[in-house]
Amino acid sequence: KRIALIGDSHAVSIRNQLIEQAEARGYGVYFSVPNIPLFDSRFPVSGMDAQLEDPRTRAVVLHYKSTKFDKPRNRERAQAFIARSLEHNVPVFLIAPVPIYDELVPRYMYTAQQSGTSYDRLQFTRADSRAHDAAFWDMAADLPTEGLTVIDPTALLCPEGPCLYYDAELHPYYYDDHHMTLTGAAMLTPDIRGLLDKID
């Protein structure tokens, strides 16, 4: 049994967490070699047909940075690929973009620590994050509901009030302004387990 993970460097950020949880349930995880499949003209929407037709492929997981969906062509290709997967009876799990910050998170935290100032200046709310990702959410609203699950990581990353970008021990959830660290990716474990529950 296997799961195909498709996306950009944001998919790479959660890959280890997905592999760990999937392997515990007997699934292999396959990751596309091109860094931006689907949105790269060299990667046709039909490029994974052989994998989709393989009965071992039980699901597809898509995850990209929010700005990838700002281009209409990218949204169209994502919609076309999702439709193609569902035609092959392969369920799709679309993980919404994670919040993006205006500054490099570790550097900001280091500077704040050295100066004795608050860490709060980078904070924003879940509503702010969803507004920033409006192009993605508009696309998601037009997608079929049968066979597709949209997972919103801000439910975990922004549980109450401001979105979180570090833990209680001041370990940052990002290694720059938008890529998650292993600590940050671990925050999405409940989402990944829920995803796997729906495949099993």
Side-chain angles (χ1 to χ4, degrees), residues 32-55:
S32 178
V33 173
N35 189 41
I36 311 177
L38 297 188
F39 302 160
D40 187 328
S41 59
R42 295 169 295 178
F43 189 97
V45 173
S46 60
M48 276 195 60
D49 279 2
Q51 287 78 13
L52 294 176
E53 293 166 1
D54 189 323

Side-chain angles (χ1 to χ4, degrees), residues 1-4 27 30 48-60 88-91 199:
K1 303 182 297 183
R2 62 191 188 186
I3 299 167
Y27 286 94
Y30 290 75
M48 276 195 60
D49 279 2
Q51 287 78 13
L52 294 176
E53 293 166 1
D54 189 323
R56 292 174 297 177
T57 302
R58 302 299 177 86
V60 171
H88 285 87
N89 295 315
V90 176
I199 299 173

Side-chain angles (χ1 to χ4, degrees), residues 80-102:
F81 177 75
I82 290 170
R84 205 171 188 90
S85 298
L86 298 181
E87 287 170 3
H88 285 87
N89 295 315
V90 176
V92 177
F93 294 87
L94 181 60
I95 300 178
V98 297
I100 292 178
Y101 289 84
D102 292 332

Side-chain angles (χ1 to χ4, degrees), residues 4-15 18 30-40 43 48 60-65 68-69 81 93-95:
L5 174 62
I6 299 178
D8 56 6
S9 54
H10 281 213
V12 177
S13 296
I14 67 167
R15 180 177 58 187
L18 177 60
Y30 290 75
F31 187 73
S32 178
V33 173
N35 189 41
I36 311 177
L38 297 188
F39 302 160
D40 187 328
F43 189 97
M48 276 195 60
V60 171
V61 178
L62 298 177
H63 184 47
Y64 288 90
K65 183 182 179 183
K68 295 295 193 306
F69 297 99
F81 177 75
F93 294 87
L94 181 60
I95 300 178

